[in-house]
Amino acid sequence: LTAWPDSPEHRISSDMTAFERAMESVVIVKKGAVDVIFSTTLEALHVNRRSMLCEEKGGLKRSGGIGDILSGCIGTFVAWNRILSTPDKTSPLATDGVKEKSNLANTNHDDLLLGVWSACAITKRATRRAFEKRRRGMTAPDVLTELSSTVDEMT
């Protein structure tokens, strides 16, 4: 039995296929005193699982927006990883489906994990530095102010 292309069954079927493809490589960050980075990759029906710990000491205050800063740092490092892993150095943001797929296949998953770990470490250190300066008055914009010098210090 085949569903018509415009039927709800067909849309659900194609959405699940896209979802399943997206789940072939997943990285999850559990924030805390020690950030835990979980990774799962699916290769030829074999599931590889890895985890890393980021034990960098953070600030003593948790304020709203720090998770947004972490997300932005992760996005930056993932983008840099993808750009650096593009063999012909053309734009990895090309809309050509074949080009897009080849860029994703060339992304080194270990480098991706290290990029996520680096984002966690930089965010925690910037948070600690902001807390040392502002104490209990620290907010997320104070952490943003510390990001640049923290990246310079850690690289």
Side-chain angles (χ1 to χ4, degrees):
L1 212 180
T2 346
W4 292 98
D6 60 346
S7 71
E9 294 83 7
H10 182 268
R11 284 193 300 273
I12 290 170
S13 170
S14 63
D15 287 349
M16 286 308 292
T17 303
F19 178 74
E20 289 167 350
R21 275 195 309 270
M23 292 294 106
E24 287 178 0
S25 180
V26 176
V27 178
I28 297 172
V29 177
K30 180 182 176 201
K31 298 184 333 174
V34 173
D35 292 346
V36 183
I37 304 159
F38 300 99
S39 164
T40 302
T41 56
L42 177 63
E43 298 168 2
L45 300 177
H46 184 266
V47 177
N48 296 316
R49 290 187 177 93
R50 293 186 181 164
S51 63
M52 295 179 75
L53 300 177
C54 178
E55 299 179 276
E56 180 76 28
K57 184 179 176 186
L60 296 177
K61 181 182 179 215
R62 306 287 176 249
S63 67
I66 295 175
D68 297 322
I69 293 170
L70 174 60
S71 296
C73 289
I74 290 172
T76 300
F77 282 107
V78 168
W80 287 347
N81 177 59
R82 187 160 175 206
I83 289 167
L84 292 173
S85 67
T86 304
D88 61 4
K89 302 300 181 215
T90 59
S91 172
L93 302 176
T95 56
D96 176 359
V98 175
K99 181 77 174 164
E100 187 77 13
K101 188 180 259 186
S102 77
N103 284 343
L104 288 172
N106 289 324
T107 300
N108 183 324
H109 196 72
D110 290 337
D111 289 344
L112 179 66
L113 284 176
L114 184 57
V116 173
W117 179 90
S118 298
C120 290
I122 286 168
T123 302
K124 282 177 165 265
R125 188 172 295 185
T127 302
R128 185 178 73 237
R129 290 173 65 169
F131 179 79
E132 288 169 355
K133 291 179 181 176
R134 303 280 300 180
R135 307 303 294 166
R136 294 286 169 201
M138 181 200 82
T139 61
D142 299 318
V143 177
L144 282 175
T145 302
E146 296 298 326
L147 274 181
S148 180
S149 58
T150 302
V151 170
D152 290 344
E153 174 186 297
M154 293 181 75
T155 55

